[in-house]
Amino acid sequence: MTPLLTIRNLKRHFGGLWATRDVSLEIQRGEIHALIGPNGAGKTTLIHLISGGLFPDEGQLLFDGRDVTKKTMHDRVALGIARSFQITQIFPKIAALENVRLAVQAQQRDWGSSLRMWRPASADFLMIEEAEDWLGRVGLAEHAGTHAADLSHGEQRALELAMTLATRPRLLLLDEPLAGMGPEESERMTQLIASLRGEQTVLLVEHDMDMVFRVADRISVLVAGHITATGTPEAIRVDPAVKRAYLGEDIA
Amino acid sequence: MRTYRSLGELSLLSLAIALPWLLQALGEDYYIGFATRLLIYALAATSLNFVVGYGGMVAFGHAAFFGGGAYLVALLMTGGLISAWASWPLTMFIVALLAWAIGAISLRTRGVYFIMITLAFAQMIYYSVISLKIAGGDDGLPIDQRSNLFPFDLANDNVLYWLALGLLALSLLLLKRLSHSRYGHALAGIRQNETRMEALGYPVQQLKLVCFVIGAALAALAGALLVNQNGMAGPGQLYWTQSGMLLVMVILGGVGQRYGGVLGAFVLLGLEEVLAQVTEHNHLYIGLILLAVVLYAPRGLAGLFCKSR
């Protein structure tokens, strides 16, 4: 079977800085694939390139065999590539449930769904029920009515994950889901992401190595805009080049 | 709470419907023209409030659509198209197309640049129109009769007033329905976080463009009313000061508040009328009032009365 995502010789520079030098990578269907690397290695740039937040200077992105290199972000979401952000992106002034409902509404792509101007959105019970399900999935059921701005940081991260899941992606891109979280919140999020195994293909950028080695099926190491190694957690753990470049003595 | 508000809206509407008869009874018929003008500007300001307050786009070229509507109706009338049933929808359609083109380009920018580019487009239209001989140049374009809205007789000032009232009420109803609809929710999301909306799969630019175009078409409708009320389309209606005045109305009344445009238009034009009778420096006082509103009531006058839209 073809990989879900094929990245071919992707390049992107900012002025004189090559954030992505020459990245080729395949994401297999159903796997949780972690992308690790030191700060400034170009991990977030790569997520931007895959999600459509940035466009590459060279190279090609094939999603399910289809060239999406030039597609806009919202077109890619429609095809099934959805992402979370390193800095939480939610709608602070509305209730948590309403945040997710907007995601469900986006996913209903029958013609003009979001151009309906007369009928109250609150009349769509199915849409609201679906949003409630996703909130429950990330453990926020009792916060449905809470303004997103009043949620804790960890809850906001979970809310963003619920919104991203509610677009029903076929490829989920998570940019540092544990960023800024305390130990308890991290543990909850890690379990949540681990629970996606088997039902969801995930590309995950994360600095927390314990988490990465717990949830990932495969790991790729990005150093200075290059993929230096790809393999199972066991293989990456003992890879001498990786150890040298990134992991440090304590893991080795 | 909700029923009280609806009751309030209904009683205000009934009062507004009865106004021509009240004025006649008082022998103050002159004011019916002024009242119509208030309603027309309320409609124009409401259409801008839709773009600014609901769509989150600070557009500084709304005069192009408001004045453009007035000019198109006058031009069509010069060409022999007198029926309002034909010329008004046609005018709204042409202005909508124009807004589509202007919006598609302008929406590539944001913030101050969006303000400047919409202003630039509007000024281009202003200078193009005053250099057109068939549009009357600097003198504007008079019309020798009002549009024909058979079976209604627009030559009757009261009928024109009721028409303006009806169209304003319909627009406000549309705004009310819209803010609770899927589209309204999508716009609210865009105002809060465009990046997130795009990442959820919403075509953000297109959704904003639709809002911009609807606002322009409504402004054109207000322009169609205005040319009938004034008896002419004038260059001043296309000039940037007109865009500025509509923006002042929206800010004064309340950005994103459903009645913001209405309140702003009523208060600004009302003050102008009242102050002009007692002082020559009326603009100074209006400026001070605007300053006070911006400083002490950032959600506008409508924000003082109701919690939200």
Side-chain angles (χ1 to χ4, degrees):
Chain A
M1 209 161 35
T2 54
L4 183 60
L5 180 75
T6 307
I7 303 172
R8 274 189 202 145
N9 306 103
L10 217 56
K11 293 178 190 167
R12 166 76 201 208
H13 70 96
F14 301 100
L17 175 77
W18 286 91
T20 307
R21 272 170 201 279
D22 188 3
V23 170
S24 295
L25 184 65
E26 289 182 347
I27 309 292
Q28 303 298 335
R29 286 160 208 272
E31 73 171 340
I32 296 185
H33 195 119
L35 189 63
I36 63 173
N39 284 323
K43 302 184 295 292
T44 293
T45 302
L46 191 58
I47 295 284
H48 280 313
L49 289 171
I50 299 171
S51 66
L54 287 173
F55 292 96
D57 297 317
E58 279 175 49
Q60 207 182 20
L61 284 162
L62 296 176
F63 183 65
D64 204 5
R66 191 170 167 171
D67 190 342
V68 297
T69 317
K70 296 207 164 64
K71 293 235 180 276
T72 60
M73 186 186 276
H74 62 259
D75 282 338
R76 291 186 205 194
V77 180
L79 289 172
I81 306 178
R83 67 172 294 183
S84 72
F85 291 83
Q86 204 171 352
I87 297 163
T88 318
Q89 299 284 353
I90 53 173
F91 306 113
K93 293 184 208 159
I94 54 178
L97 181 66
E98 187 55 24
N99 269 265
V100 185
R101 202 201 56 74
L102 267 174
V104 177
Q105 178 179 318
Q107 181 266 328
Q108 297 186 347
R109 292 192 183 80
D110 48 325
W111 190 87
S113 164
S114 285
L115 283 176
R116 286 186 202 157
M117 301 183 185
W118 195 254
R119 191 160 173 262
S122 55
D124 288 310
F125 298 110
L126 284 177
M127 197 159 63
I128 291 167
E129 273 173 26
E130 194 178 332
E132 281 168 346
D133 288 347
W134 287 116
L135 266 189
R137 175 76 198 259
V138 302
L140 288 177
E142 72 241 43
H143 290 297
T146 311
H147 269 57
D150 296 334
L151 295 172
S152 74
H153 175 72
E155 287 163 348
Q156 290 184 352
R157 300 291 287 175
L159 174 63
E160 191 183 15
L161 179 60
M163 292 164 78
T164 311
L165 286 171
T167 68
R168 302 203 183 179
R170 296 164 64 204
L171 173 62
L172 182 63
L173 307 169
L174 298 176
D175 194 358
E176 293 197 33
L178 302 189
M181 281 192 177
E184 262 174 61
E185 291 175 330
S186 294
E187 179 55 30
R188 218 171 299 141
M189 181 61 85
T190 304
Q191 282 176 14
L192 197 57
I193 292 168
S195 78
L196 296 173
R197 171 173 287 123
E199 60 176 280
Q200 183 74 61
T201 310
V202 181
L203 177 61
L204 167 79
V205 168
E206 184 51 59
H207 278 297
D208 183 325
M209 285 306 120
D210 291 339
M211 186 267 199
V212 165
F213 281 93
R214 250 173 82 190
V215 304
D217 297 306
R218 285 201 304 155
I219 298 175
S220 289
V221 186
L222 191 67
V223 179
H226 266 299
I227 301 272
T228 54
T230 294
T232 60
E234 296 73 34
I236 293 296
R237 208 187 284 272
V238 296
D239 188 302
V242 172
K243 264 194 277 189
R244 215 173 26 252
Y246 185 63
L247 291 180
E249 295 309 309
D250 51 331
I251 305 248
Chain B
M1 183 66 207
R2 199 166 155 185
T3 39
Y4 282 132
R5 206 168 150 183
S6 302
L7 269 179
E9 284 174 336
L10 274 180
S11 33
L12 274 177
L13 185 62
S14 329
L15 190 68
I17 292 172
L19 187 74
W21 294 307
L22 291 174
L23 288 175
Q24 251 154 22
L26 295 168
E28 301 275 7
D29 304 34
Y30 156 77
Y31 280 106
I32 197 64
F34 176 64
T36 309
R37 214 171 110 79
L38 286 186
L39 293 175
I40 294 169
Y41 272 88
L43 178 57
T46 299
S47 73
L48 178 61
N49 199 9
F50 179 54
V51 176
V52 178
Y54 289 68
M57 298 165 276
V58 184
F60 201 2
H62 217 55
F65 310 131
F66 184 30
Y71 264 97
L72 275 168
V73 167
L75 276 169
L76 288 169
M77 201 175 283
T78 320
L81 190 61
I82 293 160
S83 165
W85 296 112
S87 74
W88 294 17
L90 183 61
T91 292
M92 288 173 76
F93 179 71
I94 296 171
V95 168
L97 282 183
L98 179 73
W100 195 277
I102 291 177
I105 298 170
S106 306
L107 279 171
R108 291 162 183 267
T109 67
R110 50 199 57 232
V112 174
Y113 300 99
F114 183 78
I115 295 176
M116 295 312 290
I117 196 168
T118 46
L119 173 64
F121 272 118
Q123 286 299 89
M124 268 163 58
I125 288 166
Y126 165 77
Y127 286 111
S128 312
V129 169
I130 60 166
S131 64
L132 276 178
K133 210 167 235 163
I134 53 159
D138 286 326
D139 298 329
L141 192 59
I143 55 174
D144 44 21
Q145 58 176 309
R146 285 183 177 167
S147 298
N148 180 358
L149 191 74
F150 184 82
F152 307 105
D153 179 18
L154 290 189
N156 181 331
D157 284 342
N158 288 355
V159 175
L160 186 62
Y161 167 86
W162 281 316
L163 179 64
L165 180 64
L167 291 175
L168 176 63
L170 274 180
S171 312
L172 289 169
L173 179 64
L174 171 71
L175 228 54
K176 181 182 186 164
R177 298 291 306 207
L178 191 144
S179 61
H180 297 292
S181 72
R182 287 184 178 211
Y183 182 62
H185 284 276
L187 285 183
I190 291 173
R191 286 200 307 276
Q192 288 181 56
N193 192 337
E194 277 193 26
T195 309
R196 187 18 96 194
M197 285 299 278
E198 186 75 25
L200 288 181
Y202 285 94
V204 169
Q205 294 305 312
Q206 284 96 311
L207 290 175
K208 285 170 83 171
L209 187 56
V210 167
C211 173
F212 189 75
V213 169
I214 292 175
L218 276 179
L221 183 61
L225 287 165
L226 186 71
V227 70
N228 278 282
Q229 161 71 13
N230 283 350
M232 69 171 298
Q237 291 155 12
L238 287 171
Y239 201 50
W240 71 268
T241 49
Q242 178 86 298
S243 302
M245 182 163 87
L246 291 175
L247 261 182
V248 168
M249 286 172 176
V250 170
I251 294 165
L252 194 64
V255 175
Q257 306 280 345
R258 183 147 47 93
Y259 285 101
V262 179
L263 266 177
F266 281 19
V267 170
L268 189 71
L269 295 180
L271 276 177
E272 269 185 5
E273 184 80 6
V274 172
L275 289 174
Q277 287 168 12
V278 290
T279 166
E280 287 172 19
H281 310 295
N282 53 348
H283 286 287
L284 174 67
Y285 294 106
I286 288 168
L288 288 174
I289 290 168
L290 183 66
L291 207 60
V293 166
V294 171
L295 286 176
Y296 299 109
R299 291 192 299 134
L301 296 170
L304 296 175
F305 296 113
C306 32
K307 245 181 83 204
S308 65
R309 63 169 67 98

